[in-house]
Amino acid sequence: MLILQIIVLLGAIFLGVRIGGIGIGYTGGAGVLVLGLLLGMKPGNIPWDVILIIASVISAISAMQLAGGLDYLVQIAERILRSNPKHINYLAPIVTYVLTIFAGTGHTAFSMIPVIVEVAKEQHIRPCVPLSIAVVSSQIAITASPVSAAVIYMTGVLEPLGWSYPALLLIWIVTTFVGCMLTAFVMTIISNMDLDSDPVYKERLAKGLVKPAQGAAQMELKPFAKRSVLIFLVGVVAVVLYASAISPAVGIIKNVIVPRDAAIMSLMLLVGMLITMLCKIEVGDVASCSVFKSGMVAIVCVLGVAWLGDTFVSGHSAEIKEFAASTVAENPALLAVVFFFAAMLLYSQAATAKAIVPAVVAALGITAENPGDSYMLVATFAAVSALFVLPTYPTLLGAVQMDDTGSTRIGKWVFNHAFFLPGLIAIVFSVVLGFGACAIF
């Protein structure tokens, strides 16, 4: 029966991956149905909190996009990249990392991919090098963004165990950012940077398939673009300040009436309202924005695959707890491996954390009275960002499709693609640095 359940779990995920996009959400729901009706497993919990946080954040970002705010951010980012193009391997991941920290979604990297390709071509640098690091950085930054569903969930788990919200943000921002920068350094050293030596590029160039570099794009901003960015930024700051104030370790607000999840959702919806009113956007057009469409796809994917994952994990919680208690307790770094492989299948940082963390907490006997092993969760959190392993994530595919030089490609064996090595290196650095940071705190 266990073998059949595993086959259904993996089969649903891989079928969803083959369909692509929203398909993994569809097949996740189908997998829950098969596990329940045919294999006797009780359906798990639907991650409503994660879904609603994603929905509220995406709605605010979509309003900002409609007001021209994302165009303004892209304009700033392009200036940064073009200010010192020879250092694009470092500047590109910095830009995508900051955009993700700010917006709480890695889909903002889409807007930077064409710019990165253009600047790399101008410098005769193979675009796959800065692109791969930048896409990976946009994924890992989710584990450090104050408005991402994954961070909000993890802080909710860890705060009762004695970790303050500001301390967690500081640890995750510092360790993941430094991890990404170290990855950029390593990839710069070990990668072939010369675009003119790439055989695929030379072949495509000979066939006339490579567009010449266009130079800096002249983008006309909408009248209230800057105002929309300011409103969204104030909203993000308000989220951080409120979440810090109600953190038990900080204790500025002791009688908490509005919990953190409700506050973040309501603040993001308020941001959307203010942008709508003060930036004079047509609210009916919000649903047509590319960010809104991407967000809806993400919501359905999380619904299906996280529900499927929770159904399987809940049905085998006893075995998982036994494994965690006997192995993870002896070797904390193994938790990063568990997170890594779970994220590879569950396709979402928040869904992975939601599925694995409760079982690990219960297995290790972590409580408010006995929080000793909780540092493992803090240190290894970045490993839930292994969404790059299967080359099917939207920003990864976008980078492959938008790089007309052909240097960013997927190999015959699926896993041998441009993003695997920098992603693995970035997670290893982030986790190692995480253990070091936890030792200090």
Side-chain angles (χ1 to χ4, degrees):
M1 185 62 73
L2 173 61
I3 292 173
L4 285 175
Q5 291 165 353
I6 292 174
I7 289 173
V8 171
L9 173 71
L10 297 180
I13 290 170
F14 280 108
L15 177 59
V17 167
R18 286 184 63 85
I19 294 174
I22 203 171
I24 197 166
Y26 294 155
T27 58
V32 172
L33 197 64
V34 174
L35 289 177
L37 295 181
L38 301 183
L39 300 180
M41 297 192 78
K42 181 181 177 182
N45 297 316
I46 297 176
W48 289 117
D49 52 349
V50 171
I51 289 171
L52 294 175
I53 288 167
I54 293 173
S56 57
V57 172
I58 288 298
S59 69
I61 297 173
S62 299
M64 181 175 68
Q65 181 183 27
L66 190 59
L70 280 186
D71 290 338
Y72 176 55
L73 290 175
V74 169
Q75 192 178 82
I76 294 173
E78 183 169 5
R79 287 176 192 161
I80 292 171
L81 290 178
R82 292 186 181 281
S83 65
N84 206 334
K86 292 183 179 179
H87 293 145
I88 189 173
N89 286 356
Y90 299 96
L91 294 176
I94 289 174
V95 165
T96 55
Y97 183 96
V98 171
L99 283 175
T100 301
I101 289 283
F102 177 62
T105 170
H107 289 156
T108 52
F110 269 121
S111 57
M112 292 313 306
I113 290 172
V115 180
I116 294 170
V117 172
E118 286 294 306
V119 175
K121 285 197 297 187
E122 289 170 9
Q123 298 298 313
H124 294 274
I125 293 172
R126 294 175 70 230
C128 72
V129 183
L131 274 180
S132 61
I133 309 167
V135 168
V136 165
S137 293
S138 72
Q139 293 180 357
I140 290 182
I142 289 290
T143 59
S145 170
V147 290
S148 75
V151 167
I152 293 165
Y153 171 75
M154 284 297 286
T155 53
V157 170
L158 291 165
E159 280 185 313
L161 304 177
W163 294 89
S164 73
Y165 179 83
L168 290 171
L169 271 188
L170 179 62
I171 290 172
W172 291 332
I173 289 175
V174 171
T175 57
T176 55
F177 180 76
V178 174
C180 290
M181 290 300 97
L182 289 174
T183 301
F185 175 73
V186 171
M187 293 304 299
T188 300
I189 291 176
I190 68 173
S191 300
N192 173 19
M193 302 282 291
D194 183 16
L195 177 60
D196 296 327
S197 67
D198 189 297
V200 176
Y201 166 70
K202 289 193 286 188
E203 181 181 338
R204 290 179 63 82
L205 188 65
K207 293 179 179 179
L209 299 175
V210 181
K211 297 178 183 177
Q214 301 291 318
Q218 298 299 318
M219 189 184 303
E220 186 175 345
L221 295 176
K222 293 183 178 180
F224 301 106
K226 296 179 182 179
R227 183 182 297 179
S228 69
V229 172
L230 178 61
I231 293 170
F232 191 87
L233 180 58
V234 170
V236 173
V237 172
V239 166
V240 174
L241 293 177
Y242 184 80
S244 300
I246 65 172
S247 176
V250 177
I252 296 175
I253 300 176
K254 298 189 186 317
N255 183 23
V256 180
I257 297 175
V258 181
R260 178 180 44 254
D261 288 10
I264 288 171
M265 286 186 278
S266 58
L267 279 168
M268 287 294 103
L269 294 175
L270 173 63
V271 164
M273 183 195 79
L274 292 174
I275 291 175
T276 300
M277 295 175 65
L278 300 178
C279 299
K280 298 179 173 57
I281 65 172
E282 286 293 332
V283 72
D285 294 335
V286 170
S288 64
C289 291
S290 61
V291 169
F292 190 88
K293 294 175 182 177
S294 299
M296 278 305 302
V297 170
I299 286 171
V300 175
C301 289
V302 168
L303 169 61
V305 79
W307 193 12
L308 174 64
D310 193 82
T311 298
F312 182 82
V313 170
S314 299
H316 296 284
S317 58
E319 296 93 325
I320 293 172
K321 289 175 184 177
E322 183 180 349
F323 169 79
S326 60
T327 57
V328 174
E330 294 176 6
N331 190 347
L334 281 178
L335 180 55
V337 178
V338 173
F339 276 152
F340 185 93
F341 282 102
M344 179 182 79
L345 298 175
L346 295 182
Y347 221 52
S348 161
Q349 293 92 337
T352 302
K354 188 103 179 174
I356 302 298
V357 168
V360 172
V361 169
L364 300 179
I366 301 173
T367 63
E369 293 75 27
N370 181 33
D373 289 335
S374 62
Y375 77 94
M376 299 179 189
L377 299 171
V378 180
T380 59
F381 181 41
V384 303
S385 298
L387 280 58
F388 55 81
V389 178
L390 297 173
T392 52
Y393 199 74
T395 48
L396 189 153
L397 289 176
V400 173
Q401 292 165 0
M402 293 184 204
D403 179 8
D404 61 350
T405 69
S407 70
T408 310
R409 47 188 179 261
I410 299 170
K412 294 180 181 179
W413 309 108
V414 181
F415 293 101
N416 59 329
H417 53 79
F419 307 86
F420 186 84
L421 184 58
L424 181 61
I425 293 172
I427 284 181
V428 169
F429 275 134
S430 298
V431 170
V432 170
L433 291 168
F435 279 108
C438 288
I440 296 172
F441 277 82

